[in-house]
Amino acid sequence: METKLYQNRIFDTIDYSEQRLANTEFVNCEFVNCSFSKSDLSHNDFLDCTFKNCNLSLAVLKNTGLKNIKFIGCKLMGLDFSAANSFLFSMNFQDCILDYSTFIYKKLKKTIFIDCFLKETDFSNTDLSLASFKNCDLSGATFVESILEKTDFRTSRNYSFDPSENKIKGTKVSHAALAGLLQKFDLVIE
């Protein structure tokens, strides 16, 4: 089947909900107010694309290429990013809801999360070195065997991880978060 190619296009207010997109490559495209909720985006490629105010909740990302993607004001709940193609996997998030999403085994080195909600998001075995979480809510987010070296959590809240189960050299945290990092030791901090 021949691959469709879209370059330098703007897709505005299009509803792809519960549809399957097949054999399509998007290069330098912008998606504005579009819905991909419960869509099957498997085996498609997105390169240098921006999604603004889009809903991709519960979309299927099996072997989907996500290369240098910007998500701004998007609803990305329950996405399994770990199923996406790992080749050149790269994205940044601003004002997004990523609750219940999964990034297991992904390389998110230098990824930026700004003003995002990441409730119950799973970052197990994820490389988040040099990543930055600016003013994010990480309630219940999972960090197990993750690389958090030089990751910046200072302005975020509700994060907790076991320093003995993660690589944390140079990780930046706030004073207020220290209790959450020592939770397993059942200390009384006053």
Side-chain angles (χ1 to χ4, degrees):
M1 197 179 281
E2 190 175 317
T3 301
K4 291 177 265 183
L5 173 65
Y6 294 100
Q7 288 184 281
N8 306 312
R9 298 263 314 261
I10 296 175
F11 297 88
D12 193 353
T13 319
I14 297 175
D15 189 357
Y16 295 101
S17 297
E18 300 185 32
Q19 295 181 29
R20 176 163 168 40
L21 218 61
N23 299 313
T24 308
E25 185 175 355
F26 298 92
V27 178
N28 200 34
C29 290
E30 187 172 321
F31 298 88
V32 181
N33 299 313
C34 294
S35 180
F36 294 91
S37 178
K38 298 182 183 176
S39 295
D40 187 348
L41 303 177
S42 300
H43 305 285
N44 293 291
D45 281 313
F46 297 86
L47 173 64
D48 296 324
C49 292
T50 301
F51 292 83
K52 291 181 181 175
N53 303 314
C54 294
N55 182 358
L56 286 89
S57 295
L58 299 174
V60 177
L61 300 176
K62 185 177 179 185
N63 207 30
T64 302
L66 296 168
K67 302 160 187 161
N68 195 29
I69 306 301
K70 292 178 187 167
F71 291 103
I72 302 166
C74 293
K75 189 174 178 182
L76 307 161
M77 293 179 64
L79 284 183
D80 185 1
F81 287 99
S82 62
N85 187 332
S86 293
F87 182 69
L88 298 176
F89 184 80
S90 163
M91 59 195 71
N92 289 302
F93 304 90
Q94 182 176 345
D95 296 314
C96 292
I97 301 171
L98 290 133
D99 296 350
Y100 311 106
S101 292
T102 302
F103 290 95
I104 297 173
Y105 288 105
K106 283 299 179 195
K107 291 184 179 176
L108 295 171
K109 199 171 191 174
K110 297 183 181 179
T111 299
I112 298 172
F113 297 86
I114 301 171
D115 298 319
C116 293
F117 291 92
L118 296 136
K119 180 180 179 183
E120 303 287 331
T121 299
D122 195 344
F123 291 104
S124 298
N125 299 98
T126 302
D127 182 354
L128 285 160
S129 53
L130 298 165
S132 181
F133 291 88
K134 297 179 181 181
N135 196 35
C136 294
D137 186 344
L138 291 147
S139 299
T142 304
F143 299 93
V144 177
E145 296 185 18
S146 304
I147 302 172
L148 304 175
E149 294 176 343
K150 298 183 181 177
T151 304
D152 190 348
F153 290 100
R154 290 177 295 179
T155 60
S156 289
R157 61 200 174 281
N158 302 320
Y159 54 91
S160 177
F161 52 84
D162 184 342
S164 65
E165 292 182 357
N166 296 283
K167 294 181 180 178
I168 61 165
K169 186 175 182 178
T171 302
K172 299 171 185 169
V173 298
S174 68
H175 286 94
L178 289 177
L181 302 180
L182 301 172
Q183 190 173 10
K184 97 173 200 176
F185 300 108
D186 200 24
L187 300 173
V188 178
I189 301 172
E190 296 180 1

